């Protein structure tokens, strides 16, 4: 009931995004039903029917990807202060978001069922004519368990993916250095610097603790005093660090201070860690496509090896997307940048984890579309209405996911934009920075897409 109330009270933009999920679910459900109809019409060709069902994995994955992006940008299920007191904590909001996604996808599945029955003539008495009739199983009874299973596949997968991505996470920061240790008096934690004997008894430690207790909790002096009392530096050294000293004092054990031990510097986010893995997976996908193109029979439907190669290509570009976006932001700030390039590059580096992966998926879909066009132009099978529907579903979902991620990134930097405007930055400068970011991404990803598309289409053009 709460999910229905939140769905009805949402804004128009949120409703349109949920409608996109329902439309994508309808297209995917119709393709699944057509695969079932083909299996009923051709019982002597189970391999061809299985291959058609396997090709439905692409629109299914695209629909689930779009559903997750829409759920992440839903303001109605975003944690806010005070909701936990009335029983709407992070776990409950995650369940509400998953339920809302399931309702949108179920609406699309119902629409797909009505459309399939309408084309079969079960609702009007007159079946449709055309190339799609062989996948409708005309004159045969549809097995109800199979229909229910196929139609519940999209809502179940979408809601499970949303629940997995929006699940409450442990707020305790993770540490990548050293094993888990215990602090003073058995306090549990991931200390960056090991405490030596007599740390608490060192001169000035108790004085720093008393100073921290006397200061307000959110004041810089209290933070500096707490830093000295916790062993990350003496009270005097911490105050010097807060005042802008560029050489922070050493840790109590005499070693050089680490970023975690110095109050102020923060470790950068690892945006580029998946770039080598993305390149490796992309290379593997191109190798699989080359092998599939050498062993394929001309004039037949692409085999499962081609599907595997394209899947690896999509995964590789999706993994490499954040790293490439981060690299694009760094290149923008090279060679004595001005304020415009510096602002555009910093924003790209900060948003690389949001827009990098959807941008890589869009490039992968463009490469697959180019390769499919090459395949069908060189004596391959006919590009029928079901193939057109599948292409529209995949392309529409990926582009909509990229736009949704851009909206999420814009909402995430609202505070920064407001601060720049309060400082006197003209709005034209912010619009120019957005144009510079778009141009830089297009300059980097457009040639990459053309190169990968050409390499992927070479084996299929033989």
């Amino acid at each position: 009931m709460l999910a229905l109330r939140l769905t009805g009270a949402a804004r128009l933009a949120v409703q349109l995004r949920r409608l996109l999920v329902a439309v994508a679910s309808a297209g995917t459900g119709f393709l699944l039903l057509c695969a079932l109809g083909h299996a009923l019409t051709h019982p002597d060709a189970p391999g061809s029917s299985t291959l058609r069902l396997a090709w439905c994995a692409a629109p299914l994955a695209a629909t689930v990807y779009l559903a997750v992006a829409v759920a992440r940008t839903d303001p109605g299920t975003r944690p806010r202060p005070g909701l936990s007191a009335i029983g709407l904590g992070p776990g409950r909001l995650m369940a509400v978001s998953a339920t809302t996604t399931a309702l949108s996808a179920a609406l699309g599945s119902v629409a797909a069922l009505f459309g399939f029955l309408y084309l079969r003539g079960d609702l009007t008495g007159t079946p449709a004519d055309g190339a799609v009739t062989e996948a409708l199983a005309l004159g045969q009874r549809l097995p109800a368990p199979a229909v229910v299973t196929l139609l519940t596949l999209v809502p179940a997968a979408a809601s499970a993916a949303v629940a997995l991505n929006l699940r409450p996470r442990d707020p305790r920061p993770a540490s990548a250095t050293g094993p888990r240790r215990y602090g003073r008096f058995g306090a549990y934690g991931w200390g960056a610097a090991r405490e030596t004997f007599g740390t608490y008894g060192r001169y000035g430690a108790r004085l720093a603790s008393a100073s921290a207790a006397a200061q307000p909790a959110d004041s810089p002096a209290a933070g500096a005093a707490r830093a000295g009392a916790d062993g990350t530096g003496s009270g005097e050294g911490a105050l010097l660090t807060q005042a802008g000293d560029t050489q922070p004092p050493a840790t109590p054990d005499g070693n050089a201070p680490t970023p975690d031990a110095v109050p102020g510097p923060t470790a950068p986010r690892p945006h580029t860690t998946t770039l080598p893995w993305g390149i490796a997976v992309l290379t593997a996908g191109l190798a699989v496509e080359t092998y599939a193109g050498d062993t394929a029979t001309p004039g037949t439907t692409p085999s499962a090896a081609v599907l595997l190669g394209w899947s690896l290509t999509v995964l590789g570009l999706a993994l490499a997307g954040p790293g490439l976006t981060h690299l694009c932001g760094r290149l923008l700030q090279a060679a004595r940048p001005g304020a415009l390039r510096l602002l555009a590059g910093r924003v790209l580096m900060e948003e690389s984890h949001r827009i990098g992966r959807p941008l890589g998926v869009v490039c992968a879909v463009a490469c697959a579309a180019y390769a499919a066009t090459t395949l069908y132009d060189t004596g391959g099978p006919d590009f029928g209405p079901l193939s057109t529907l599948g292409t529209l579903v995949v392309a529409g979902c990926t582009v909509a996911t990229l736009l949704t991620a851009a909206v999420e990134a814009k909402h995430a930097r609202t505070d920064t934009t407001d601060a720049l405007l309060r400082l006197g930055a003209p709005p034209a400068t912010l619009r120019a920075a957005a144009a510079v970011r778009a141009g830089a991404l297009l300059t980097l990803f457009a040639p990459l897409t053309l190169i990968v598309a050409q390499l992927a289409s070479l084996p299929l053009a033989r």
Side-chain angles (χ1 to χ4, degrees):
M1 185 61 66
L2 179 60
L4 290 176
R5 289 183 178 180
L6 291 177
T7 301
R11 297 178 180 177
L12 179 60
V14 179
Q15 299 287 9
L16 289 178
R17 289 196 290 265
R18 291 171 180 170
L19 182 61
L20 287 178
V21 175
V23 171
S25 176
T28 305
F30 184 80
L31 291 174
L32 291 172
L33 292 178
C34 288
L36 174 62
H38 185 274
L40 294 176
T41 308
H42 304 84
D44 53 343
S48 178
S49 302
T50 304
L51 186 58
R52 285 174 175 264
L53 184 61
W55 274 102
C56 293
L60 175 62
T63 303
V64 172
Y65 195 42
L66 175 61
V68 172
V70 170
R72 287 173 58 91
T73 57
D74 191 351
T77 57
R78 193 170 299 167
R80 289 184 293 271
L83 291 182
S84 298
I86 59 175
L88 292 177
R92 182 71 180 277
L93 290 178
M94 178 268 295
V96 170
S97 182
T99 305
T100 304
T101 303
L103 291 175
S104 301
L107 178 62
S109 297
V110 172
L113 177 60
F114 277 103
F116 188 77
L117 295 178
Y118 176 81
L119 293 178
R120 278 173 49 91
D122 295 338
L123 301 180
T124 60
T126 304
D129 297 332
V132 76
T133 53
E134 65 173 2
L136 297 178
L138 299 177
Q140 300 188 31
R141 184 177 180 181
L142 295 176
V147 172
V148 172
T149 301
L150 293 177
L151 290 180
T152 56
L153 184 60
V154 179
S159 60
V162 169
L164 182 63
N165 281 269
L166 301 183
R167 69 188 186 277
R169 290 173 173 83
D170 190 359
R172 185 179 66 246
S175 175
T177 58
R180 185 177 299 178
R181 292 187 291 268
Y182 291 86
R184 186 185 299 115
F185 301 121
Y188 181 83
W190 294 79
R194 182 176 300 176
E195 293 183 352
T196 57
F197 179 78
T199 299
Y200 186 72
R202 187 173 288 114
Y203 176 76
R206 292 188 178 89
L207 182 61
S209 300
S211 176
Q215 296 290 340
D218 55 348
S219 63
R226 281 194 299 269
D230 291 340
T232 56
S234 64
E236 181 182 359
L239 288 174
L240 289 176
T241 303
Q242 292 290 334
D245 192 297
T246 57
Q247 297 293 334
T251 51
D253 54 359
N255 297 328
T258 60
D260 293 333
V262 179
T266 56
R269 296 179 180 178
H271 298 295
T272 59
T273 54
T274 58
L275 182 57
W277 292 102
I279 296 175
V281 175
L282 175 62
T283 306
L286 294 176
V288 171
E289 290 181 21
T290 303
Y291 173 78
D294 294 336
T295 59
T297 304
T300 59
T301 306
S303 60
V306 176
L307 176 61
L308 177 61
W310 283 356
S311 301
L312 290 177
T313 302
V314 172
L315 180 60
L317 286 175
L319 290 176
L324 293 175
T325 306
H326 194 272
L327 177 63
C328 187
R330 284 189 174 274
L331 293 178
L332 273 179
Q333 303 173 72
R336 299 175 64 89
L340 186 62
R341 285 199 295 133
L342 187 63
L343 178 61
R346 289 289 184 177
V347 172
L348 273 183
M349 292 174 61
E350 182 65 25
E351 296 177 354
S352 59
H353 64 291
R354 286 191 177 95
I355 64 175
R357 189 161 296 154
L359 189 57
V361 174
V362 169
C363 294
V365 171
C367 296
Y370 181 84
T373 304
T374 303
L375 173 65
Y376 287 108
D377 289 343
T378 55
D382 296 333
F383 200 79
L386 295 181
S387 301
T388 304
L389 177 60
T391 303
L392 290 177
V393 170
V394 173
C397 287
T398 52
V399 173
T401 302
L402 178 60
L403 296 178
T404 304
V407 171
E408 180 187 6
K410 181 180 178 180
H411 291 166
R413 66 173 184 269
T414 301
D415 296 338
T416 304
T417 304
D418 295 340
L420 290 174
L421 292 176
R422 287 195 302 267
L423 290 175
T429 303
L430 301 181
R431 291 192 293 267
V436 170
R437 292 196 301 270
L441 291 176
L442 185 63
T443 303
L444 178 63
F445 280 91
L448 175 64
T449 303
L450 292 176
I451 293 173
V452 176
Q454 189 65 28
L455 292 176
S457 61
L458 284 178
L460 301 178
R462 298 174 185 176

